[in-house]
């Protein structure tokens, strides 16, 4: 979800107004993805590198995310959405926010309508290190480590491989996002800034995705769902 700062800058507003404006996009995209039959949606909300931002901006984001979680928890639940968190649980995350995340996960854990993964305090490399640590702690012999075994030690290990990554605002970078899971992802970089991104933009991306020929390193074109 990129481009909040530039959206605000274009309007001569503080960066934080861009983050506030992002809330409407988040809700629109969740609803649109669910209606389109997307089973797994992940939103990259805050990276392990975002801690480098000014304290006031971090503070604002923490408060905003908490407000959004509290405000929309019942709606997400009513829509049958299972919410999960993919992140490091850094001690700098305010305790009330961590509690609200935990409550949202508990409230929605039995839902199967769509799984919404909120990547918050997330870093792909950090997840890979976590998997390595977990393997070592479990005493898994080196020769027993294969890709499936390694993936089973990643945080939230039942998360499937990513099919499509949409990064708004025209930036063309991975920025440490779910590095293990994006190995064969398709990428779309719409120029639109995240606060301006709406359901029709998402549907356009899904349409473009369906036109892609995913060969996974092979040669024969294969059917896509
Ligand atoms: C994305 O918008 C929001 C977060 C990373 C929290 P940015 O804040 O990165 O917006 P730009 O890139 O400065 O426009
Ligand atoms: Mg950015």
């Amino acid at each position: 979800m990129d481009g909040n700062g530039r959206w605000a800058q274009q309007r001569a507003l503080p960066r934080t107004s861009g983050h506030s404006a992002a809330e409407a996009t988040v809700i629109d995209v969740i609803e649109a993805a669910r209606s389109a039959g997307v089973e797994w949606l992940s939103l990259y909300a805050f990276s392990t590198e975002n801690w480098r931002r000014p304290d006031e901006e971090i503070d604002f984001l923490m408060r905003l995310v908490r407000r959004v979680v509290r405000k929309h928890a019942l709606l997400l639940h009513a829509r049958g959405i299972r919410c999960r968190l993919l992140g490091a649980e850094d001690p700098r995350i305010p305790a009330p926010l961590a509690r609200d995340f935990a409550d949202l996960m508990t409230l929605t854990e039995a839902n199967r309508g769509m799984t919404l993964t909120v990547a918050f305090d997330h870093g792909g490399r950090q997840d890979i290190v976590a998997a390595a640590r977990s393997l070592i702690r479990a005493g898994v012999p080196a020769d027993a480590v294969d890709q499936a075994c390694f993936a089973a030690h990643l945080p939230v290990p039942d998360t499937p491989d990513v099919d499509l990554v949409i990064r708004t605002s025209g930036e063309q970078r991975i920025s440490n996002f779910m590095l293990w899971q994006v190995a064969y992802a398709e990428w779309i970089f719409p120029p639109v800034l995240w606060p301006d991104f709406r359901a029709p933009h998402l549907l356009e991306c899904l349409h473009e995705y369906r036109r892609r020929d995913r060969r996974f390193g092979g040669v024969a074109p294969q059917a896509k769902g």
Side-chain angles (χ1 to χ4, degrees):
M1 303 189 281
D2 202 5
N4 298 353
R6 277 161 284 165
W7 184 93
Q9 201 177 20
Q10 285 174 1
R11 289 160 179 76
L13 295 167
R15 293 178 53 79
T16 47
S17 335
H19 298 316
S20 298
E23 176 181 352
T25 305
V26 167
I27 300 306
D28 209 50
V29 164
I30 293 171
E31 294 274 16
R34 196 188 61 90
S35 306
V38 171
E39 289 175 26
W40 296 81
L41 175 71
S42 304
L43 296 175
Y44 198 4
F46 194 84
S47 75
T48 45
E49 290 71 34
N50 286 149
W51 292 111
R52 293 183 192 145
R53 295 194 176 196
D55 287 349
E56 311 79 66
E57 185 173 341
I58 293 174
D59 197 52
F60 185 90
L61 282 167
M62 297 292 152
R63 286 169 200 275
L64 175 70
V65 172
R66 178 161 192 237
R67 201 161 48 72
V68 170
V69 166
R70 292 176 73 90
K71 184 166 151 197
H72 300 286
L74 289 175
L75 174 83
L76 295 168
H77 185 46
R79 295 279 191 268
I81 296 169
R82 171 172 62 157
C83 301
R84 303 203 296 188
L85 197 64
L86 180 63
E89 296 161 31
D90 190 288
R92 284 171 290 183
I93 296 172
L97 173 57
R99 258 198 319 272
D100 288 336
F101 269 140
D103 289 347
L104 178 65
M105 287 194 277
T106 309
L107 174 71
T108 63
E109 69 190 343
N111 292 341
R112 289 297 178 268
M114 177 175 85
T115 300
L116 172 66
T117 303
V118 181
F120 188 88
D121 190 24
H122 164 73
R125 283 187 170 181
Q126 172 180 268
D127 284 359
I128 291 169
V129 170
R133 285 186 176 162
S134 165
L135 282 161
I136 293 164
R137 273 196 211 101
V140 181
D143 291 341
V145 179
D146 58 14
Q147 292 189 24
C149 163
F150 192 92
H153 284 262
L154 287 165
V156 202
D158 60 337
T159 305
D161 278 355
V162 172
D163 289 315
L164 169 64
V165 181
I166 302 167
R167 181 175 186 149
T168 55
S169 86
E171 302 284 8
Q172 303 188 3
R173 283 191 292 279
I174 296 185
S175 297
N176 206 9
F177 179 66
M178 294 176 86
L179 292 181
W180 178 274
Q181 296 89 343
V182 300
Y184 265 98
E186 297 292 324
W187 295 79
I188 298 180
F189 302 102
V192 56
L193 305 174
W194 179 254
D196 290 329
F197 193 86
R198 283 294 177 274
H201 299 107
L202 177 74
L203 297 178
E204 240 170 71
C205 292
L206 295 179
H207 185 68
E208 155 79 23
Y209 168 76
R210 285 191 199 99
R211 283 202 307 259
R212 301 261 177 107
D213 181 20
R214 301 186 78 193
R215 293 183 299 277
F216 298 95
V219 284
Q222 58 182 79
K224 288 186 294 237

